[in-house]
Amino acid sequence: MPPPLDPHDLYAADRPGKLSRTVKDYPSRVYVPNTLSDTVSVIDPEKFKVVRTIQVGHQPQHVVPSWDLKTLWVNNDLGNTLTPVNPANGRVGRPVDVHDPYNLYFTPDGKYAVVMASMDRALVFRDAHTMKVVKSVPVDCYGVNHADFSPDGRYFIVSCEFSGELLKVDTAKKKVIAKQRLPIAGAMPQDVKISPNGKTWYIADMVANGLWVLNGDTFGKPRLLPTGKGTHGLYVSRDSRSMYISNRGEGTISVLSFKSGKLVRRWRLPGGGSPDMGGVSTDGKVLWLSGRYNAEVYAIDTRTGRLLARIPVGGGPHGLAVYPQPGRYSLGHTGIFR
């Protein structure tokens, strides 16, 4: 895999405006999958306005940038397809048959896509370009949904939403090598994110109302850091100093300092909301989040926490992708770039 630009900062390639040659001419857009409307709303981030609506398959969950940055894959979970969108010109390609694509990741070497087949209870390794199955790895947990990779790419950690478990997976062997149950009744782990220095893992948990803080190498018992009700999405700031945490159950965003490991701010959406999944703008000044239960998208100033816009979209907006973003390659989800 391409090594990190800075061994002490996995996100060193994600600095403001540092677009790769591949994406530098792509129009800036926010792509919002609407699970209840079977559409993708396309927002012009400068106008804070929906400029296009794309019809896709049944229950689109996430819009995922490909490893090579050239394609956006819409994960049509119940439609059992991936819809490719060309971010250079907005053209929609022919859907590809992929069973149960709840979420999608890419191995750091760019060879394989990893489909989080939640209902099928499997991690399905596919060719990153053709999406043909290479190996399906059955799992004995329920609801595989989110993941992130170690600094050297040798393993990744996966959350199991419906059984409150975490998996550790050997990337090269395509094999689950460890599993643990989170130490709270009814745990519901969601997004997974590794710290810039590669030493600490954070797992959002909607029932525990906080982050599980984990040493990925030892995979020992994690500790809980409370953040807010319904903790869901995790997004790293462009300077690698902070992480934005969406608390879907209370309409807030918490801000974590990586240096101190403590929460330093909490922003509340005026009038409430259900902040879910999203991403950070190219310049790092705006945090974009879907409002899962409010059919809207929020644009939030990352310096002050002020709500810049509340944009109506389709029903059940979920894993939106801000695109393009800085970085050399994508590890998937709504945009994990290295």
Side-chain angles (χ1 to χ4, degrees):
M1 71 175 218
L5 291 181
D6 180 346
H8 304 293
D9 184 0
L10 297 180
Y11 305 103
D14 299 353
R15 292 294 178 261
K18 198 171 183 179
L19 297 176
S20 74
R21 187 174 301 177
T22 301
V23 306
K24 66 181 181 65
D25 294 325
Y26 290 178
S28 180
R29 295 289 185 265
V30 178
Y31 299 84
V32 188
N34 302 304
T35 59
L36 302 180
S37 303
D38 295 343
T39 60
V40 172
S41 299
V42 184
I43 295 172
D44 183 328
E46 292 185 0
K47 298 178 180 178
F48 296 120
K49 180 181 178 181
V50 174
V51 294
R52 183 186 180 194
T53 300
I54 302 171
Q55 195 72 37
V56 293
H58 190 25
Q59 201 180 85
Q61 295 284 2
H62 301 91
V63 175
V64 178
S66 63
W67 185 90
D68 63 9
L69 310 177
K70 296 179 180 179
T71 305
L72 295 175
W73 292 103
V74 183
N75 296 190
N76 305 312
D77 190 21
L78 296 186
N80 296 312
T81 60
L82 298 177
T83 299
V85 177
N86 185 333
N89 53 31
R91 291 175 183 167
V92 180
R94 179 176 296 181
V96 178
D97 291 335
V98 171
H99 201 265
D100 191 21
Y102 177 78
N103 209 345
L104 180 66
Y105 290 82
F106 294 92
T107 58
D109 60 8
K111 290 183 179 179
Y112 305 107
V114 184
V115 173
M116 298 289 155
S118 179
M119 298 305 293
D120 289 345
R121 297 176 65 190
L123 303 175
V124 185
F125 288 78
R126 293 173 175 264
D127 181 282
H129 300 285
T130 66
M131 291 297 167
K132 291 184 178 180
V133 175
V134 175
K135 183 180 181 180
S136 181
V137 181
V139 297
D140 57 4
C141 69
Y142 291 87
V144 288
N145 60 2
H146 297 97
D148 203 353
F149 288 82
S150 64
D152 59 10
R154 293 182 182 273
Y155 71 85
F156 57 101
I157 291 176
V158 179
S159 59
C160 299
E161 177 177 7
F162 301 125
S163 59
E165 295 171 286
L166 302 178
L167 306 177
K168 186 174 182 178
V169 183
D170 186 300
T171 308
K173 293 180 180 179
K174 305 177 183 66
K175 179 182 179 181
V176 177
I177 55 175
K179 184 180 79 166
Q180 66 168 288
R181 187 177 299 278
L182 291 168
I184 187 173
M188 204 170 188
Q190 303 294 316
D191 207 0
V192 179
K193 200 72 73 200
I194 192 170
S195 63
N197 65 12
K199 296 180 179 180
T200 304
W201 297 71
Y202 297 93
I203 299 97
D205 190 322
M206 288 203 302
V207 168
N209 299 322
L211 302 179
W212 294 106
V213 184
L214 174 74
N215 182 316
D217 289 345
T218 64
F219 204 60
K221 183 178 178 180
R223 65 178 175 87
L224 182 64
L225 174 66
T227 62
K229 187 177 179 180
T231 311
H232 197 81
L234 308 175
Y235 307 97
V236 178
S237 63
R238 288 272 169 250
D239 59 9
S240 299
R241 294 179 180 178
S242 305
M243 184 164 66
Y244 310 114
I245 304 157
S246 63
N247 302 309
R248 192 172 78 183
E250 64 178 31
T252 68
I253 295 90
S254 298
V255 183
L256 173 84
S257 164
F258 284 119
K259 184 177 181 179
S260 69
K262 298 179 180 179
L263 300 182
V264 292
R265 286 181 293 279
R266 179 180 291 185
W267 303 323
R268 185 171 297 277
L269 294 173
S274 50
D276 194 277
M277 289 285 172
V280 180
S281 62
T282 298
D283 60 11
K285 295 180 179 180
V286 181
L287 173 66
W288 290 87
L289 296 172
S290 59
R292 188 69 178 274
Y293 302 127
N294 299 81
E296 59 192 8
V297 165
Y298 315 113
I300 301 157
D301 189 310
T302 57
R303 294 162 294 185
T304 65
R306 183 170 68 92
L307 181 64
L308 302 173
R310 189 186 294 261
I311 305 164
V313 291
H318 192 198
L320 70 79
V322 179
Y323 211 68
Q325 289 193 48
R328 299 168 298 162
Y329 58 97
S330 165
L331 295 178
H333 190 35
T334 58
I336 302 173
F337 299 97
R338 296 280 196 267

